Amino acid sequence: PATTAEFLAELERELLRPAGVSPQTVGVERWVHGPGLPDNAPEPQTAAFAEVEAELAAWLGGEAAEELDTADWTTHEWLHFLRGLPAELSVERMAELDEAFGFTGSGNSEVLTAWLLVAIANDYRAADQALEDFLLRVGRRKFLDPLYRALAATPEGKERALEIYRRARPGYHSVSVGTIDEILGWGEGRS
Protein backbone atom coordinates (compact mmCIF):
# COMPACT_ATOMS: atom_id res chain seq x y z
CA PRO A 1 0.00 0.00 0.00
CA ALA A 2 1.06 3.54 -0.72
CA THR A 3 -0.35 7.02 -0.51
CA THR A 4 -0.82 9.05 -3.65
CA ALA A 5 2.20 11.16 -2.75
CA GLU A 6 4.34 8.03 -2.28
CA PHE A 7 3.09 6.62 -5.60
CA LEU A 8 3.89 9.86 -7.44
CA ALA A 9 7.38 10.02 -5.93
CA GLU A 10 8.09 6.43 -6.97
CA LEU A 11 6.64 7.00 -10.44
CA GLU A 12 8.99 9.93 -10.98
CA ARG A 13 12.01 8.21 -9.42
CA GLU A 14 11.61 4.75 -11.00
CA LEU A 15 9.96 5.41 -14.37
CA LEU A 16 9.98 8.99 -15.50
CA ARG A 17 13.51 10.15 -14.56
CA PRO A 18 15.20 7.03 -15.99
CA ALA A 19 13.26 7.63 -19.23
CA GLY A 20 14.27 11.30 -19.25
CA VAL A 21 10.67 12.48 -18.95
CA SER A 22 9.27 15.03 -16.54
CA PRO A 23 5.90 14.71 -14.76
CA GLN A 24 4.79 17.88 -16.58
CA THR A 25 5.58 16.40 -20.00
CA VAL A 26 3.39 13.39 -19.33
CA GLY A 27 0.73 15.42 -17.53
CA VAL A 28 0.88 13.32 -14.37
CA GLU A 29 -1.21 15.87 -12.46
CA ARG A 30 -4.07 15.56 -14.99
CA TRP A 31 -3.83 11.75 -14.97
CA VAL A 32 -3.95 11.48 -11.20
CA HIS A 33 -6.15 14.37 -10.11
CA GLY A 34 -8.08 15.44 -13.21
CA PRO A 35 -11.54 14.29 -14.26
CA GLY A 36 -11.95 11.70 -16.99
CA LEU A 37 -9.14 10.83 -19.35
CA PRO A 38 -6.56 13.50 -20.20
CA ASP A 39 -6.12 14.78 -23.75
CA ASN A 40 -2.94 12.75 -24.16
CA ALA A 41 -4.63 9.40 -23.44
CA PRO A 42 -3.94 7.01 -26.31
CA GLU A 43 -6.99 5.99 -28.29
CA PRO A 44 -7.16 2.21 -28.46
CA GLN A 45 -7.39 0.66 -31.88
CA THR A 46 -8.59 -2.85 -32.55
CA ALA A 47 -8.46 -4.84 -35.74
CA ALA A 48 -11.69 -6.62 -34.80
CA PHE A 49 -13.66 -3.36 -34.63
CA ALA A 50 -12.06 -2.17 -37.87
CA GLU A 51 -13.38 -5.35 -39.52
CA VAL A 52 -16.84 -4.71 -38.05
CA GLU A 53 -16.74 -1.15 -39.40
CA ALA A 54 -15.76 -2.49 -42.85
CA GLU A 55 -18.71 -4.90 -42.83
CA LEU A 56 -21.05 -2.12 -41.69
CA ALA A 57 -19.77 0.14 -44.48
CA ALA A 58 -20.32 -2.68 -46.98
CA TRP A 59 -23.91 -3.11 -45.80
CA LEU A 60 -24.55 0.63 -45.88
CA GLY A 61 -23.07 0.60 -49.38
CA GLY A 62 -25.63 -1.93 -50.56
CA GLU A 63 -24.21 -5.37 -49.79
CA ALA A 64 -26.88 -7.77 -48.54
CA ALA A 65 -26.82 -8.38 -44.79
CA GLU A 66 -26.68 -12.13 -45.31
CA GLU A 67 -23.45 -11.67 -47.30
CA LEU A 68 -21.59 -9.95 -44.44
CA ASP A 69 -18.74 -11.86 -42.80
CA THR A 70 -20.01 -12.09 -39.23
CA ALA A 71 -19.56 -15.79 -38.45
CA ASP A 72 -17.03 -15.37 -35.64
CA TRP A 73 -18.29 -12.14 -34.11
CA THR A 74 -18.41 -11.80 -30.35
CA THR A 75 -21.00 -9.86 -28.38
CA HIS A 76 -18.73 -6.80 -28.43
CA GLU A 77 -18.45 -6.90 -32.19
CA TRP A 78 -22.23 -7.15 -32.58
CA LEU A 79 -22.67 -4.23 -30.18
CA HIS A 80 -20.16 -2.20 -32.17
CA PHE A 81 -22.09 -2.99 -35.36
CA LEU A 82 -25.47 -2.08 -33.86
CA ARG A 83 -24.18 1.10 -32.27
CA GLY A 84 -22.62 2.09 -35.57
CA LEU A 85 -25.88 1.95 -37.49
CA PRO A 86 -27.22 5.26 -38.78
CA ALA A 87 -29.85 7.00 -36.64
CA GLU A 88 -32.49 6.52 -39.30
CA LEU A 89 -33.15 3.22 -41.03
CA SER A 90 -36.13 2.16 -43.10
CA VAL A 91 -38.35 -0.65 -41.92
CA GLU A 92 -37.12 -2.65 -44.92
CA ARG A 93 -33.47 -2.26 -43.91
CA MET A 94 -34.33 -3.13 -40.30
CA ALA A 95 -36.18 -6.24 -41.48
CA GLU A 96 -33.21 -7.25 -43.63
CA LEU A 97 -30.88 -7.11 -40.64
CA ASP A 98 -33.37 -8.89 -38.42
CA GLU A 99 -33.92 -11.69 -40.94
CA ALA A 100 -30.18 -12.16 -41.51
CA PHE A 101 -29.10 -12.05 -37.86
CA GLY A 102 -32.20 -12.77 -35.75
CA PHE A 103 -31.75 -9.75 -33.52
CA THR A 104 -35.36 -9.62 -32.33
CA GLY A 105 -35.08 -13.20 -31.10
CA SER A 106 -31.62 -12.81 -29.56
CA GLY A 107 -31.08 -14.51 -26.22
CA ASN A 108 -28.19 -12.16 -25.46
CA SER A 109 -29.53 -9.29 -23.33
CA GLU A 110 -26.73 -6.93 -24.39
CA VAL A 111 -27.34 -7.47 -28.10
CA LEU A 112 -31.11 -7.48 -27.70
CA THR A 113 -31.07 -4.19 -25.80
CA ALA A 114 -28.90 -2.55 -28.46
CA TRP A 115 -31.22 -3.87 -31.18
CA LEU A 116 -34.37 -2.78 -29.35
CA LEU A 117 -32.95 0.74 -29.05
CA VAL A 118 -32.50 0.81 -32.83
CA ALA A 119 -35.99 -0.65 -33.25
CA ILE A 120 -37.58 2.01 -31.02
CA ALA A 121 -35.74 4.82 -32.80
CA ASN A 122 -36.88 3.56 -36.19
CA ASP A 123 -40.42 2.48 -35.26
CA TYR A 124 -39.66 -1.11 -36.20
CA ARG A 125 -42.89 -2.60 -34.91
CA ALA A 126 -41.82 -6.18 -35.66
CA ALA A 127 -39.80 -5.98 -32.43
CA ASP A 128 -42.70 -4.73 -30.27
CA GLN A 129 -43.50 -8.08 -28.67
CA ALA A 130 -39.84 -8.82 -27.98
CA LEU A 131 -39.51 -5.39 -26.35
CA GLU A 132 -42.54 -5.93 -24.16
CA ASP A 133 -41.46 -9.46 -23.19
CA PHE A 134 -37.97 -8.21 -22.35
CA LEU A 135 -39.23 -5.35 -20.19
CA LEU A 136 -41.54 -7.73 -18.35
CA ARG A 137 -38.84 -10.38 -17.86
CA VAL A 138 -35.64 -8.44 -17.15
CA GLY A 139 -35.18 -6.23 -14.12
CA ARG A 140 -31.63 -4.91 -14.48
CA ARG A 141 -31.55 -1.14 -14.55
CA LYS A 142 -28.63 -1.33 -16.98
CA PHE A 143 -31.06 -2.62 -19.62
CA LEU A 144 -34.26 -0.93 -18.47
CA ASP A 145 -32.99 2.63 -18.23
CA PRO A 146 -32.01 3.13 -21.89
CA LEU A 147 -35.08 1.32 -23.19
CA TYR A 148 -37.56 3.29 -21.11
CA ARG A 149 -35.74 6.53 -21.94
CA ALA A 150 -35.98 5.73 -25.65
CA LEU A 151 -39.67 4.93 -25.34
CA ALA A 152 -40.36 8.07 -23.30
CA ALA A 153 -38.85 10.26 -26.03
CA THR A 154 -42.20 10.42 -27.84
CA PRO A 155 -45.74 10.77 -26.49
CA GLU A 156 -46.84 7.50 -28.15
CA GLY A 157 -43.76 5.70 -26.85
CA LYS A 158 -44.29 7.05 -23.35
CA GLU A 159 -47.85 5.72 -23.30
CA ARG A 160 -46.55 2.34 -24.42
CA ALA A 161 -43.85 2.46 -21.75
CA LEU A 162 -46.38 3.33 -19.03
CA GLU A 163 -48.65 0.46 -20.06
CA ILE A 164 -45.79 -2.03 -19.91
CA TYR A 165 -44.34 -0.52 -16.75
CA ARG A 166 -47.67 -0.79 -14.91
CA ARG A 167 -47.39 -4.58 -15.31
CA ALA A 168 -43.62 -4.88 -14.93
CA ARG A 169 -43.06 -2.53 -11.99
CA PRO A 170 -44.01 -4.99 -9.21
CA GLY A 171 -41.24 -7.34 -10.35
CA TYR A 172 -38.47 -4.72 -10.56
CA HIS A 173 -35.84 -4.08 -7.91
CA SER A 174 -36.40 -0.90 -5.91
CA VAL A 175 -33.36 0.76 -7.52
CA SER A 176 -34.79 0.12 -10.98
CA VAL A 177 -38.21 1.31 -9.84
CA GLY A 178 -36.77 4.59 -8.61
CA THR A 179 -35.04 5.20 -11.92
CA ILE A 180 -37.97 4.24 -14.14
CA ASP A 181 -40.47 6.14 -11.95
CA GLU A 182 -38.41 9.26 -12.59
CA ILE A 183 -38.07 8.61 -16.35
CA LEU A 184 -41.79 8.07 -16.80
CA GLY A 185 -43.01 10.56 -14.22
CA TRP A 186 -44.70 7.76 -12.33
CA GLY A 187 -46.62 9.43 -9.52
CA GLU A 188 -48.07 8.37 -6.23
CA GLY A 189 -51.56 6.96 -6.53
CA ARG A 190 -50.96 5.64 -10.06
CA SER A 191 -51.67 1.95 -10.50
Side-chain angles (χ1 to χ4, degrees), residues 12-172:
E12 185 173 354
R13 181 180 61 254
E14 300 296 327
L15 294 175
L16 299 179
R17 263 194 230 138
V21 178
S22 74
Q24 294 75 25
T25 302
V26 184
V28 170
E29 185 64 27
R30 289 178 305 180
W31 276 95
V32 175
H33 297 291
L37 288 174
D39 297 343
N40 66 343
E43 190 166 321
Q45 300 296 321
T46 169
F49 281 177
E51 290 171 17
V52 170
E53 291 161 8
E55 294 300 315
L56 177 58
W59 182 73
L60 292 171
E63 187 168 334
E66 62 189 21
E67 297 299 320
L68 300 181
D69 184 13
T70 63
D72 297 322
W73 281 10
T74 66
T75 297
H76 296 291
E77 289 159 315
W78 282 114
L79 291 174
H80 192 67
F81 179 85
L82 289 168
R83 291 172 182 157
L85 290 170
E88 293 182 18
L89 288 172
S90 69
V91 171
E92 294 77 22
R93 294 290 273 172
M94 294 284 297
E96 178 191 357
L97 288 173
D98 204 7
E99 185 176 322
F101 305 120
F103 290 130
T104 297
S106 177
N108 181 312
S109 294
E110 298 281 351
V111 170
L112 183 57
T113 298
W115 173 251
L116 292 172
L117 289 169
V118 175
I120 292 166
N122 289 284
D123 201 29
Y124 181 63
R125 303 311 296 250
D128 281 0
Q129 191 61 54
L131 172 63
E132 183 174 328
D133 292 347
F134 188 72
L135 291 174
L136 289 169
R137 181 181 77 246
V138 173
R140 288 190 67 192
R141 184 173 61 169
K142 167 185 179 174
F143 301 123
L144 300 176
D145 182 311
L147 291 170
Y148 278 109
R149 283 185 194 282
L151 284 168
T154 65
E156 179 186 305
K158 186 171 182 179
E159 283 307 310
R160 232 171 110 208
L162 285 165
E163 190 279 321
I164 295 168
Y165 186 54
R166 177 185 54 74
R167 293 180 288 137
R169 189 175 188 270
Y172 288 168

Side-chain angles (χ1 to χ4, degrees), residues 169-190:
R169 189 175 188 270
Y172 288 168
H173 186 279
S174 62
V175 174
S176 293
V177 167
T179 299
I180 309 308
D181 280 1
E182 185 177 321
I183 291 168
L184 298 178
W186 188 269
E188 307 247 346
R190 183 178 222 132

